[in-house]
Amino acid sequence: MWHTYLRFQKAFKTSFILKVAAKAPVRRPYVTVTYRHGIVIECADRITRRVYPRIFTYSTDYPERVLVATIRDLGHCPCPLCLVTIDQIALLGQVADERTRLSKKRKGYAPGNEHSNYFLKPESLIATENAFSTTLCEEFGFNFFGILVIDLMHEFELGVWKAVLVHLIRMLYTLSKDAVNKFNHRFRTIGNFGRSTIRSFAYMNVTDLKNWAAQTSEDCLQCCIPCFEGLFPEPYNTYVLCLLYTLALWHGLAKLRQHTDTTLDQLSTVTWMLGKELRFFASEVCPHFDTTETPKERNTRDRRETAKAMKPNSGSKGKGKAKTASPLPKTFSFRTVKIHLLGHYVPMIWWFGTTDSYSTQIGELEHCVVKSYYRRGNKKDYVRLARRMQCRSQQLYCITDTIRQLELGVKAGHKSHSVNRSKSTPLPPFLPEHHHQIANSKKNWVHIGDLVSTNPSEPAFQNLIPALKDHILGRLIKRPFDGGEGDFSDEDRDHVVIVNNLLYQHSKMRINYTRYNIQRDQDIINPSILSWSFVMVKAPESEKTCFWYARVLSIHGSLLQGTTSRYEEIRSL
């Protein structure tokens, strides 16, 4: 007995819904028979199986979720999962809010045109026949409201967090222009972290929010606390930092790729804390700042009004750009359904698993491929152009795959490029089971005696050779590092002989490690790049702090000669 569980992503959900809605009167018997008795399919292993289609999740952002749920957009009950009213959204995390979510869940029934609008409006329903309701709900009790899962990217990263960030920027403009410039300068000094964890803000002003994607919003949340620190007067500075910390903590827990009962309990507690912080921010902090539109918001509104005035049926004869005299006042709105949806994350994760399994980010990333076709073409007849580019790329992929299967010794699918090998040696790929990797090159070296004699006043080079040998001995016996290198005698140090007293310098180092979700990942340490030269290790329990922070100044390796007259290459930081 085989079941097929379907998770519809944003990339292809529209075609499925339109097909069911348009052909429901004709194809309904086929859909119900398939749903009840399954369909016989010959699989790739040449075995015939009976497959039962089941729909578990349907990932969309809020406007399209409203269309699937056939409810009113931003109506009296805007949530597609429960019957909470627009006035009860501010109760996020409270007991009354949790009681509403459990006792007033939406059921899998959508009314038809025979129902009066008077009875439908209180629950934000509309007189539209839903394909899920007529096809699956009547016979199988399928609750199509239950498949409309949460969307972390649109609801939090581009929703709640971006709304808070925009209002904090408005508050900075009320202080002074220097506060805005200082805020942008702090972000520009933040380097990238990892390969794609945090990207650089060096070439942008965060206050302008230009080219703002979900990845940029997430990076900004992870780096914003030190950038906002000290810009607001007390006690508002403390209030803002507490809110930012709670937002970052909630986002980190909600985006975990492996959950336990403890982490879900923590997420539930942090949701209550976030609701409390947002209510305090809206009622106690925001009223003390006379916030208005930012320059970007004002320019956007001017362009919109100018375009509206240029329309033929607008009745306006002016052809110039409409410029407002002063920016309009703005306040922080708490009446948004995305704030309410944060309370549904814990039960959704309990029922469907972690949020990365049904995130709309999977489908949204495919938009980059389609947009690349537009940039590469002449921007005329775009549909035909995109179709030709897609077919051409598919043919090239098939040719490349065929060449690789034939094993002709041709490196297909790689562009020819030149590498500057004067100062660094490219690292070849290595197995994930290995802990670290450093190049085997010995062309860049330094003599230990010259290093000490040329830097007599440098504290780091005092007693360098004994300290270096203690470090090597500690690594050879696999002694756990606790801040010290251990107590070794001069006789022990004499057993370690550094060949020719040379240290070989390397440009970077790769380190493989296991993440919390039992997945292997890789990090890079490169002293020449500021953002790749910092490391953090767990401090011993005797220390007051939990972690030690350090900056890697250089990476060296040495060739050793032991008492067994056998050379062994020891690489260390």
Side-chain angles (χ1 to χ4, degrees), residues 1-256:
M1 190 73 67
W2 288 73
H3 291 261
T4 299
Y5 303 115
L6 306 181
R7 295 181 184 272
F8 293 101
Q9 298 291 339
K10 187 177 180 181
F12 51 89
K13 64 181 182 302
T14 305
S15 61
F16 176 82
I17 288 299
L18 293 179
K19 185 184 295 184
V20 174
K23 299 182 179 181
V26 180
R27 306 291 289 176
R28 187 184 306 171
Y30 176 76
V31 173
T32 55
V33 170
T34 304
Y35 199 86
R36 182 185 298 274
H37 302 289
I39 182 173
V40 178
I41 298 177
E42 183 179 351
C43 302
D45 55 359
R46 302 296 179 87
I47 299 178
T48 302
R49 296 181 175 90
R50 182 175 295 273
V51 179
Y52 293 82
R54 294 294 183 267
I55 304 174
F56 271 3
T57 62
Y58 194 98
S59 301
T60 63
D61 54 354
Y62 180 76
E64 296 176 357
R65 203 181 313 174
V66 168
L67 296 177
V68 176
T70 57
I71 62 175
R72 297 178 185 271
D73 187 11
L74 301 178
H76 181 65
C77 297
C79 181
L81 301 175
C82 65
L83 297 176
V84 66
T85 62
I86 194 71
D87 298 326
Q88 297 174 338
I89 290 179
L91 303 178
L92 174 66
Q94 295 186 357
V95 177
D97 179 68
E98 189 68 22
R99 188 183 303 115
T100 303
R101 298 174 192 271
L102 296 177
S103 61
K104 295 184 178 181
K105 291 183 178 181
R106 290 188 181 272
K107 305 299 181 181
Y109 169 74
N113 294 329
E114 68 276 5
H115 290 76
S116 171
N117 189 54
Y118 176 80
F119 299 100
L120 301 178
K121 193 172 183 180
E123 295 184 1
S124 296
L125 296 174
I126 56 178
T128 302
E129 191 178 58
N130 190 287
F132 285 114
S133 178
T134 56
T135 305
L136 301 177
C137 180
E138 294 177 356
E139 297 188 28
F140 304 99
F142 179 73
N143 183 11
F144 62 89
F145 290 111
I147 66 175
L148 302 176
V149 292
I150 51 182
D151 180 17
L152 182 65
M153 184 180 69
H154 289 98
E155 292 167 1
F156 186 82
E157 295 174 353
L158 296 177
V160 177
W161 158 237
K162 188 175 181 180
V164 173
L165 176 63
V166 169
H167 196 74
L168 289 174
I169 293 174
R170 295 172 187 157
M171 293 167 56
L172 286 178
Y173 273 102
T174 62
L175 299 177
S176 63
K177 187 66 175 178
D178 294 338
V180 177
N181 294 335
K182 190 174 183 180
F183 177 74
N184 289 326
H185 174 71
R186 288 179 175 179
F187 261 106
R188 282 194 293 268
T189 56
I190 296 177
N192 56 337
F193 178 78
R195 294 186 173 181
S196 61
T197 305
I198 296 178
R199 301 178 185 179
S200 176
F201 298 90
Y203 303 102
M204 63 181 299
N205 286 334
V206 176
T207 55
D208 294 339
L209 301 180
K210 291 183 178 180
N211 301 323
W212 201 261
Q215 174 73 30
T216 315
S217 180
E218 180 183 5
D219 296 346
C220 182
L221 175 61
Q222 298 175 9
C223 305
C224 66
I225 293 181
C227 297
F228 273 107
E229 186 176 7
L231 297 181
F232 294 102
E234 292 292 347
Y236 308 111
N237 177 63
T238 303
Y239 298 154
V240 169
L241 295 182
C242 290
L243 174 63
L244 295 176
Y245 173 78
T246 307
L247 287 168
L249 179 59
W250 189 94
H251 177 262
L253 290 172
K255 210 165 184 176
L256 284 177

Side-chain angles (χ1 to χ4, degrees), residues 397-412:
Y397 175 80
C398 294
I399 295 173
T400 303
D401 187 62
T402 304
I403 294 176
R404 289 174 178 173
Q405 292 180 1
L406 294 176
E407 298 181 356
L408 299 178
V410 180
K411 292 185 178 180

Side-chain angles (χ1 to χ4, degrees), residues 498-509:
I498 301 176
V499 178
N500 298 327
N501 286 332
L502 296 181
L503 295 179
Y504 302 100
Q505 187 172 1
H506 305 285
S507 59
K508 61 183 177 181
M509 174 182 182

Side-chain angles (χ1 to χ4, degrees), residues 195 425-432 434-439 506-513 520-527 532 555 571 573:
R195 294 186 173 181
T425 302
L427 295 177
F430 72 114
L431 297 177
H434 295 172
H435 178 263
H436 65 276
Q437 181 191 33
I438 299 177
H506 305 285
S507 59
K508 61 183 177 181
M509 174 182 182
R510 293 176 181 172
I511 299 176
N512 288 334
Y513 64 96
R520 295 291 285 175
D521 204 346
Q522 185 181 104
D523 206 348
I524 300 176
I525 299 177
N526 191 338
W532 288 7
I555 301 175
R571 304 178 182 92
L573 292 179

